[in-house]
Amino acid sequence: MGSRSVMEPPKQRKQSEEYCCVKRGHMTVVHDPLRTVSVLEPGGPGGCGMNQRSTVKETARTAGCLYAQNAGFFRTQSGHCLGNVVSDGRRVQDSGGVQNAQFGIRRDGTLVFGYLSQDDVLDQSNPFVQLVSGVVWLLRDGEVYINQSLKAECDETQETGHFHNFVDVVSARTAVGHDADGNLLLFQIDGKTSVRGMNLWEFAEFMKQSGAINAINLDGGGSSTFVVDGSLASYPSDHCDNDERWCCERRVSTILCVHPRRCQPSNCSGNGDCIDGRCQCRQGWQGVGCEARVCLPPVCGPRGICTASGCVCHAGWRGHNCNQVCPLGFFGLSCTQQCRCDDPCLCDPQTGSCNATLPEETNLTLHTAGQCLAKQMFTLWRREEEARREPPHLTERTWLILILSLTLLLAASLLLHLERGCRGSLAVRFPKHRDYSYLPLTDRAAACAGGDTETPRRRHDSDSQDEVWSQTRSGSSEL
């Protein structure tokens, strides 16, 4: 967007009647009006409903306008807004079919100038996001259109007087139009009614020379005001109430606001994100405001049909291109119905019937998914087992085996001793069955030497072979 002055205004200062006669004005060129131009109610939303009036500077500062100028007509006594008003997609009021020149921007960015029927105003197939009424269609297709407007339009919208006088009198003027490249053109000319400024014939010729193709006249006279960055840049013609030596801007109705780039609508219809004033649409959506679903017959493929809300997939399929099989447990058109089977794996994705034979591609999908899931589960279990693993200790089972082994050894030892004890007692009771006889070697040596043949005084039997050999070795040491 850009702004250039037709005649460079000096800094605002105290004005005399003679100085107010100096002719000056502004023209603003807007390259992206859909995202940077708004029709604003006086003082903000709700201003028209309250018959509120506000200066262009006040409304522009609140809204953060870079450039702003007055727009629609109003009743000077009551403050009531006149004509059609749509502000940022919100319909404020309609004229009820009153015929006057209109300026509007539709949702797709189309600029509209001229006459509208009530059906045109209320049309929702491509609704207006901005709309305001003027009086007199100045230029139509590059030619002055004032004579035709005098015959076609309602002259009660303006309060200057007789319709021809409203057209012919010199005064401050405000208008909006567009050039051959589709840029929006805002015009504001300083003046004072019947004293200085331009009549509508001169104004139309001036805009034509400036490149305008279509243009309509907006509220002028003392209402004509131009503001840059919240500061008054034009010279109003109304004298201040508290000091007539000064000129003050009039409190007006709607304004045209040129602001930094915004998305339209601001939330991108809920189907995208606003980035640098442009809607970046999510997959499946298109349009300036992401309002249109991307749905052409090839997009849905052979497994779906295109509807106003997007692709509706055949039973058993889903996805924006209808190229995905229903997940387990779902079936029907676009997989929107849930199976009622005990085992959802056996649910037919097309009919929802249980214990169905699944298509080959579904079986392959399940097999692949099962392998993948099993691998992930085993990997997870192995990691958990390693995390829980501690330094090696004897397990409870190992301790039990050791205890049982020791118990068995002790039992075996006890049985062995019992067996030996039993054998010894039997040998005493039954001598003929003795395995060993104990005879001291000293007694035997004496007998061989012819000594005392007295029966040994002591004889001891033993069941222990170890003891016999021990005594024999001891006897040998005595020889």
Side-chain angles (χ1 to χ4, degrees):
M1 72 188 73
S3 177
R4 66 176 184 269
S5 298
V6 178
M7 288 156 283
E8 186 65 28
K11 295 182 179 179
Q12 186 175 1
R13 56 184 174 81
K14 185 175 180 179
Q15 299 175 343
S16 64
E17 183 67 25
E18 290 74 25
Y19 183 75
C20 287
C21 293
V22 177
K23 186 188 300 182
R24 300 181 182 276
H26 300 82
M27 182 177 76
T28 306
V29 181
V30 184
H31 303 292
D32 189 6
L34 177 64
R35 299 179 183 85
T36 59
V37 173
S38 295
V39 175
L40 301 182
E41 297 180 73
C48 283
M50 297 183 291
N51 293 334
Q52 182 176 336
R53 288 194 297 162
S54 179
T55 65
V56 175
K57 182 169 61 177
E58 291 170 342
T59 304
R61 281 180 175 177
T62 301
C65 303
L66 302 177
Y67 310 100
Q69 65 184 40
N70 66 294
F73 288 79
F74 60 96
R75 297 296 179 201
T76 55
Q77 296 299 319
S78 65
H80 178 68
C81 299
L82 297 176
N84 296 302
V85 178
V86 176
S87 175
D88 292 334
R90 179 175 49 86
R91 191 193 313 156
V92 176
Q93 67 179 39
D94 65 76
S95 65
V98 173
Q99 186 74 299
N100 282 118
Q102 312 286 323
F103 159 67
I105 306 175
R106 291 195 180 273
R107 186 172 61 188
D108 66 355
T110 301
L111 301 179
V112 177
F113 293 85
Y115 302 138
L116 298 172
S117 68
Q118 186 73 351
D119 290 340
D120 292 332
V121 173
L122 303 179
D123 178 30
Q124 292 301 304
S125 62
N126 186 20
F128 283 102
V129 293
Q130 315 293 341
L131 183 61
V132 68
S133 296
V135 175
V136 178
W137 192 348
L138 297 173
L139 292 175
R140 180 176 182 178
D141 296 332
E143 300 298 329
V144 177
Y145 200 68
I146 296 177
N147 280 328
Q148 294 87 335
S149 297
L150 288 171
K151 298 176 182 178
E153 294 193 32
C154 174
D155 66 342
E156 296 181 1
T157 304
Q158 56 82 31
E159 296 181 345
T160 302
H162 192 273
F163 206 1
H164 282 276
N165 183 58
F166 170 76
V167 171
D168 295 337
V169 69
V170 294
S171 184
R173 298 294 183 177
T174 308
V176 58
H178 76 88
D179 63 14
D181 296 324
N183 298 314
L184 193 69
L185 306 177
L186 305 181
F187 295 90
Q188 184 275 325
I189 300 297
D190 287 333
K192 183 175 178 62
T193 302
S194 301
V195 177
R196 54 185 169 84
M198 290 184 178
N199 61 38
L200 289 187
W201 300 99
E202 295 170 335
F203 197 26
E205 286 293 340
F206 170 74
M207 286 187 288
K208 181 178 178 179
Q209 294 173 10
S210 299
I213 304 299
N214 285 285
I216 69 165
N217 178 64
L218 299 173
D219 191 13
S223 298
S224 185
T225 310
F226 189 78
V227 169
V228 178
D229 287 331
S231 298
L232 182 65
S234 61
Y235 290 93
S237 60
D238 287 1
H239 290 284
C240 301
D241 293 335
N242 56 353
D243 189 346
E244 291 195 357
R245 294 176 300 172
W246 293 80
C247 292
C248 293
E249 59 179 313
R250 179 183 293 178
R251 303 178 74 82
V252 298
S253 181
T254 55
I255 74 168
L256 285 176
C257 169
V258 181
H259 48 71
R261 189 187 301 273
R262 299 175 187 168
C263 290
Q264 190 62 252
S266 59
N267 67 343
C268 297
S269 304
N271 303 314
D273 300 309
C274 184
I275 300 176
D276 191 26
R278 293 181 181 272
C279 286
Q280 301 294 327
C281 302
R282 299 190 184 96
Q283 187 174 13
W285 296 92
Q286 64 180 353
V288 175
C290 301
E291 71 284 353
R293 183 179 285 275
V294 176
C295 182
L296 299 175
V299 174
C300 299
R303 302 187 181 99
I305 57 175
C306 183
T307 68
S309 58
C311 291
V312 174
C313 303
H314 295 163
W317 298 91
R318 67 185 181 98
H320 69 278
N321 288 332
C322 298
N323 59 352
Q324 302 175 30
V325 178
C326 284
L328 295 178
F330 292 88
F331 73 99
L333 297 177
S334 298
C335 307
T336 56
Q337 301 182 62
Q338 189 170 1
C339 296
R340 301 300 180 186
C341 303
D342 294 335
D343 185 356
C345 294
L346 300 179
C347 173
D348 190 297
Q350 295 183 354
T351 65
S353 62
C354 303
N355 300 319
T357 301
L358 300 179
E360 181 179 352
E361 61 267 19
T362 304
N363 281 325
L364 178 61
T365 300
L366 290 175
H367 178 69
T368 305
Q371 287 183 329
C372 179
L373 179 60
K375 183 177 180 180
Q376 291 180 351
M377 290 177 63
F378 283 126
T379 301
L380 178 61
W381 290 343
R382 189 179 299 110
R383 290 177 181 174
E384 291 179 350
E385 185 66 25
E386 291 176 354
R388 289 197 301 266
R389 186 175 296 169
E390 298 178 354
H393 293 89
L394 293 179
T395 64
E396 182 179 351
R397 182 178 180 182
T398 304
W399 279 111
L400 182 60
I401 293 174
L402 289 175
I403 292 172
L404 290 175
S405 299
L406 291 174
T407 302
L408 291 174
L409 288 174
L410 289 174
S413 177
L414 180 60
L415 288 174
L416 181 61
H417 282 78
L418 288 175
E419 181 183 2
R420 288 179 178 178
C422 291
R423 288 179 179 177
S425 62
L426 289 174
V428 172
R429 294 176 61 186
F430 307 100
K432 61 179 180 180
H433 296 292
R434 290 181 296 177
D435 294 322
Y436 304 101
S437 296
Y438 174 68
L439 177 63
L441 293 180
T442 55
D443 295 341
R444 183 176 181 181
C448 294
D452 187 6
T453 58
E454 183 180 356
T455 303
R457 296 174 293 178
R458 183 179 59 184
R459 177 170 294 191
H460 180 71
D461 296 329
S462 174
D463 291 330
S464 173
Q465 186 177 3
D466 293 334
E467 290 183 0
V468 174
W469 287 108
S470 177
Q471 292 296 335
T472 302
R473 285 193 294 268
S474 296
S476 297
S477 64
E478 294 177 357
L479 293 177

